[in-house]
Amino acid sequence: MKDLRRYLALKYIQYLILSSSNTVSTLLGLLGSVYTMILLQSAKVSSKSTAVLISSLAQADILIFLSLVSDVVVGTFGVGFSPAVSALSRILLMANTHVSCVLLSCVAFEAYLITFLPSESRSLRTVRNARQISRVIWMLVAAECALFLVDDHLRASSASAPTRGPLGLLFQLPSVASALLGSLSYILGILLRIINVYIYYKIFFSVSPR
């Protein structure tokens, strides 16, 4: 449907073209996600793997709403809640970005299969596989968020933490792991942008009149 294609275009601009999020793109993305979730409940939208991926993409914006709620909590209850809630708000926004970028790449890859390997990929492009892929993405990002939360907690309590011996090394492990994961996420983000541009470049010139 045209509305779903417009929504995907908005999300590609928001996450894979803009260098950073801003208030306008975030607000438009939230409104688009609400409309898309309502639209996907309609009987006019067939239950296909692409619809499952788009539904999961729209649901990811719930994390932005939760982040906004946490910011309101900080503003309402004062500075005492600020460090922990601010860290949670930041991690929720990061989780939204990572889930959305990977799901958008999955949609792009599926579009590539539909365009160039429609018959060969039919057994892969199922609703069941799309749901499993969405679950795996959410689980991996949840594990990433848990690691960053643990690292933030350990940093906050660093004054009373051991600095030597096995306990000191164990204390430093989440910090090292989160730093490596942050670098990996940055590199993966760049690769996803390149891959998405290549996929849609190929699709555009394959369907354009020769």
Side-chain angles (χ1 to χ4, degrees):
M1 295 178 64
K2 289 184 178 180
D3 288 340
L4 293 181
R5 287 197 291 269
R6 293 192 188 102
Y7 173 69
L8 287 175
L10 171 63
K11 285 297 176 180
Y12 276 110
I13 293 172
Q14 182 181 356
Y15 291 108
L16 297 175
I17 295 179
L18 294 178
S19 58
S20 61
S21 61
N22 56 69
T23 304
V24 175
S25 65
T26 300
L27 180 60
L28 289 175
L30 281 171
L31 293 175
S33 294
V34 172
Y35 174 72
T36 298
M37 284 190 284
I38 295 173
L39 184 64
L40 289 171
Q41 303 302 316
S42 172
K44 296 180 180 179
V45 180
S46 58
S47 179
K48 293 183 178 179
S49 56
T50 304
V52 172
L53 295 174
I54 294 175
S55 176
S56 188
L57 174 65
Q59 291 167 12
D61 274 2
I62 294 174
L63 298 175
I64 294 181
F65 176 75
L66 294 177
S67 176
L68 294 175
V69 170
S70 66
D71 289 339
V72 171
V73 169
V74 172
T76 303
F77 294 100
V79 183
F81 286 83
S82 184
V85 178
S86 296
L88 178 62
S89 175
R90 173 177 55 81
I91 289 174
L92 286 172
L93 290 177
M94 179 201 68
N96 168 262
T97 300
H98 291 182
V99 168
S100 299
C101 288
V102 178
L103 284 170
L104 284 168
S105 298
C106 290
V107 173
F109 181 67
E110 187 172 53
Y112 180 89
L113 293 178
I114 292 172
T115 304
F116 297 104
L117 301 167
S119 301
E120 297 87 343
S121 65
R122 194 181 303 276
S123 60
L124 298 175
R125 295 182 288 105
T126 63
V127 171
R128 181 174 178 272
N129 286 343
R131 287 174 178 165
Q132 288 181 342
I133 289 171
S134 297
R135 290 193 193 102
V136 169
I137 292 171
W138 278 97
M139 289 171 61
L140 290 175
V141 174
E144 178 189 28
C145 292
L147 176 61
F148 282 114
L149 283 172
V150 169
D151 182 43
D152 283 340
H153 176 72
L154 292 177
R155 286 177 183 273
S157 59
S158 60
S160 59
T163 57
R164 296 181 180 179
L167 289 178
L169 293 174
L170 185 62
F171 179 84
Q172 295 175 8
L173 184 60
S175 179
V176 174
S178 61
L180 290 174
L181 188 57
S183 300
L184 180 62
S185 298
Y186 178 76
I187 295 172
L188 182 60
I190 295 176
L191 289 176
L192 289 180
R193 284 174 169 83
I194 295 172
I195 292 170
N196 277 272
V197 169
Y198 172 77
I199 286 175
Y200 283 110
Y201 171 84
K202 292 283 289 184
I203 292 174
F204 176 79
F205 282 101
S206 69
V207 300
S208 297
R210 299 184 184 278

